[in-house]
Amino acid sequence: MISSGFSGALKLTDLDDFITPSQECIKPVKFEKSALGTGAKIKIGDDGSYVQESKNGKSEKLKQVEISLTDCLACSGCITSAETVLVQQQSTDEMMRVFDAQNVLDTKKFIVVTISIQSCVSIATSKNITVECAASKLCGYFKKLGADLVLDIKLAEDLALLESQNEFIERYKSAKTSKVQKILPMLASSCPGWVCYAEKTHGNFILPYISRVKSPQQIMGSFIKDFISSLRNKPRSDIYHLTVMPCFDKKLEASRDQFFDVDTQTKDVDCVITSIEVDALLIKQDIIFDDIVPVNFDTVINNLTQDNYNLVTNSGSGSGGYAHHIFCNAAKELFNINIDKVEFKPLRFVLNLNYTYEFK
């Protein structure tokens, strides 16, 4: 199935909207254009392989082009299904390999696990327990596996909100000072699926409108690999950062070249696993979730757990509250209006995907 709205270089077979690891991502074989100029022909063999035949009758089997994670969102099914076609580095098998290697001195890493509040909510809903209970048991599970630090992502979420507020004010005021067109509206950048879709279908037309702020996952990655590595006197290469996220697209985000440090050859986020993968891994390991000993999250500065730790969410919405915080901050900074509450009024339904809102 190939959509005309996307690149024809990729094809996803057995496509549906249910995310399962059953799809196979295929990129056609690559051949030099010069070969075709010599009268060579490309034929498809009985086994589905591509064979190049020259004028003198010589046959050569062509190799398939390798596909990377950065290519994944080029086809029509990637928003819903291609997230499951991932490299080995983004899997629970790779995660367990790192944990299992902790007993070997040469391969020992300082493991930091970041857990999103959305994943805690997902686990809590599936297990019919409180979010706090789910969070503490997830923390206890990763601690037992061998994690040195288990953190929640609230700090990075707060930084993302603050930077988004500042960026909106900067964009709004730019027209006043530089007499250039305001690059508004400012579109969210935290969803990697949306960002990749915009990059591959609308290019430079829409990219200037997308926020420059990193997602909380990648902010946390930079914080851990730079600040914590300095605090613990450890090189970036000795720190293994694992995140637990609610969406498969976060694997694609962590694998982007922009979040790779060339000097140390390290990623900000080494591995991403989703809530459903955690649940599947627990079943595979015959671990009963209720039997996991709960442990509170660590503090950022040291390994001590927070005795009176409470999960805190941002006001606004379950998606992070960006619109709420940016709107309230803009009203205060630009018009000196204090807004305690924002009411959202749905205007119309678009493609069964999004609402368009107005502030009331």
Side-chain angles (χ1 to χ4, degrees):
M1 175 180 179
I2 300 178
S3 171
S4 59
F6 293 83
S7 168
L10 296 174
K11 180 175 71 175
L12 197 66
T13 63
D14 189 27
L15 184 66
D16 57 39
D17 287 337
F18 182 71
I19 297 178
T20 67
S22 63
Q23 286 78 31
E24 179 184 0
C25 199
I26 303 167
K27 193 169 184 177
V29 296
K30 182 179 180 181
F31 53 87
E32 299 296 332
K33 290 184 178 180
S34 59
L36 296 180
T38 60
K41 297 180 180 180
I42 305 297
K43 294 185 177 181
I44 301 177
D46 295 335
D47 59 352
S49 63
Y50 289 78
V51 179
Q52 176 181 297
E53 290 187 356
S54 62
K55 279 186 175 181
N56 58 14
K58 184 179 179 181
S59 297
E60 180 183 358
K61 189 174 182 179
L62 299 175
K63 295 180 179 180
Q64 284 190 322
V65 177
E66 293 183 357
I67 183 171
S68 66
L69 283 176
T70 54
D71 296 319
C72 281
L73 283 177
C75 72
S76 60
C78 292
I79 300 301
T80 56
S81 301
E83 297 91 337
T84 57
V85 188
L86 298 166
V87 296
Q88 185 65 25
Q89 284 75 15
Q90 297 288 346
S91 66
T92 53
D93 289 341
E94 174 64 14
M95 179 195 81
M96 290 308 302
R97 185 194 67 77
V98 174
F99 276 118
D100 293 340
Q102 289 303 91
N103 295 325
V104 182
L105 186 61
D106 293 340
T107 58
K108 187 176 178 62
K109 298 280 188 178
F110 186 84
I111 301 178
V112 182
V113 179
T114 299
I115 302 178
S116 68
I117 182 65
Q118 292 89 347
S119 291
C120 296
V121 173
S122 297
I123 295 294
T125 301
S126 66
K127 305 298 182 184
N128 196 27
I129 57 178
T130 66
V131 176
E132 289 78 11
C133 181
S136 62
K137 285 184 176 291
L138 283 174
C139 185
Y141 171 68
F142 286 106
K143 278 286 189 175
K144 187 174 181 180
L145 285 180
D148 296 282
L149 286 176
V150 181
L151 309 170
D152 77 343
I153 205 168
K154 184 62 167 63
L155 172 64
E157 289 179 340
D158 289 343
L159 289 174
L161 287 175
L162 291 173
E163 287 301 314
S164 296
Q165 292 174 9
N166 293 336
E167 183 184 0
F168 182 84
I169 298 298
E170 176 188 325
R171 285 172 179 251
Y172 189 90
K173 289 182 176 180
S174 64
K176 304 290 184 181
T177 57
S178 61
K179 298 185 183 300
V180 296
Q181 181 181 3
K182 295 192 292 278
I183 305 179
L184 292 174
M186 187 177 82
L187 305 177
S189 59
S190 285
C191 173
W194 143 247
V195 172
C196 286
Y197 172 81
E199 288 174 334
K200 293 184 179 296
T201 60
H202 296 85
N204 294 330
F205 171 74
I206 203 169
L207 293 182
Y209 295 93
I210 297 179
S211 172
R212 301 186 302 269
V213 178
K214 289 182 179 181
S215 72
Q217 172 179 268
Q218 298 309 132
I219 290 177
M220 201 67 179
S222 298
F223 175 76
I224 288 171
K225 287 297 180 79
D226 295 330
F227 177 73
I228 291 185
S229 64
S230 176
L231 189 69
R232 297 302 181 96
N233 194 27
K234 294 180 179 295
R236 283 176 59 104
S237 57
D238 282 355
I239 295 181
Y240 185 79
H241 183 206
L242 168 75
T243 63
V244 181
M245 291 287 143
C247 177
F248 279 85
D249 278 334
K250 288 297 180 181
K251 296 173 182 281
L252 302 174
E253 179 182 69
S255 301
R256 291 179 70 101
D257 294 337
Q258 295 94 322
F259 307 128
F260 181 80
D261 185 77
V262 178
D263 294 334
T264 59
Q265 293 292 297
T266 58
K267 300 177 183 178
D268 291 342
V269 179
D270 296 289
C271 183
V272 181
I273 60 172
T274 61
S275 316
I276 194 170
E277 287 178 303
V278 173
D279 198 35
L281 183 59
L282 292 173
I283 295 174
K284 181 179 179 180
Q285 295 175 333
D286 293 325
I287 295 176
I288 300 175
F289 194 80
D290 291 340
D291 294 341
I292 298 175
V293 178
V295 176
N296 287 332
F297 285 102
D298 292 302
T299 61
V300 175
I301 305 301
N302 52 51
N303 292 74
L304 298 177
T305 56
Q306 303 182 48
D307 294 333
N308 297 317
Y309 183 87
N310 291 310
L311 286 177
V312 180
T313 59
N314 296 309
S315 58
S317 74
S319 64
Y322 285 89
H324 174 91
H325 283 265
I326 291 173
F327 182 83
C328 292
N329 180 69
K332 175 63 178 176
E333 293 293 324
L334 299 173
F335 307 105
N336 198 28
I337 299 175
N338 290 313
I339 299 179
D340 296 327
K341 184 179 180 180
V342 178
E343 294 183 8
F344 293 91
K345 178 183 177 181
L347 292 181
R348 59 193 177 92
F349 203 55
V350 183
L351 297 177
N352 199 30
L353 293 175
N354 301 302
Y355 277 107
T356 301
Y357 295 97
E358 68 177 0
F359 294 108
K360 183 180 179 183

